[in-house]
């Protein structure tokens, strides 16, 4: 386990409108506000056609092949994530969401493109005093958090 300690800074409250893409809006708003590191919460609606990464095809394979799924109808969404800069200093949101419609729920990473249905409410809570980044891991090829 690796640990770093920070303190809270600014708080952004975003309203995403119909058709807005969740991770793109969060990264842009944080960049414009000068927020580099944050905890992020989101809730509201996810539109039909939104895509989630729902796991690797084979968790034991040397090369990770992501499994994507698409929402078939407007769904409720609750999500939590973190925002840290990548190796180029660009904001990079890692957020997992649970999207439900009726009796069915799908949970996965939002990076494949979750579009807002009607409205999403997002809270970005800045974490200051850290130098943590997302760096490319040689073994997995993923951008992993380095506290």
């Amino acid at each position: 386990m690796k640990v770093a300690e920070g303190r809270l800074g600014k708080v952004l409250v975003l309203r995403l409108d119909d058709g807005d893409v969740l991770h793109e809006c969060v990264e842009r708003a944080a960049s414009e506000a000068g927020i580099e590191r944050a905890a992020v919460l989101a809730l509201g609606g996810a539109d039909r056609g939104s895509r989630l990464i729902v796991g690797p095809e084979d968790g034991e394979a040397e090369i990770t092949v992501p499994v994507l799924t698409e929402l078939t109808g407007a769904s409720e969404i609750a999500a939590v994530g973190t925002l840290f800069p990548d190796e180029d200093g660009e904001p990079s949101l890692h957020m997992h969401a649970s999207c439900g419609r009726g009796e069915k729920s799908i949970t996965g990473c939002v990076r494949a493109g979750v579009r807002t249905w009607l409205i999403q409410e997002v809270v970005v809570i800045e974490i200051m005093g850290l130098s943590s980044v997302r760096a490319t891991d040689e073994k997995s090829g993923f951008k992993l958090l380095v506290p």
Side-chain angles (χ1 to χ4, degrees), residues 47-52 68-73 104 106:
D47 206 359
R48 172 178 45 91
S50 291
R51 294 166 36 116
L52 294 163
L68 299 174
T69 194
E70 195 169 287
L71 299 181
T72 58
K104 184 177 179 186
I106 297 171

Side-chain angles (χ1 to χ4, degrees), residues 62-107:
E62 279 191 42
I63 298 174
T64 303
V65 177
V67 176
L68 299 174
T69 194
E70 195 169 287
L71 299 181
T72 58
S75 302
E76 300 296 323
I77 182 173
V80 63
T82 58
L83 180 87
F84 289 96
D86 64 16
E87 295 154 311
D88 298 322
E90 296 298 319
S92 177
L93 179 67
H94 182 205
M95 175 175 266
H96 286 204
S98 185
C99 300
R101 179 176 174 83
E103 299 294 317
K104 184 177 179 186
S105 179
I106 297 171
T107 302

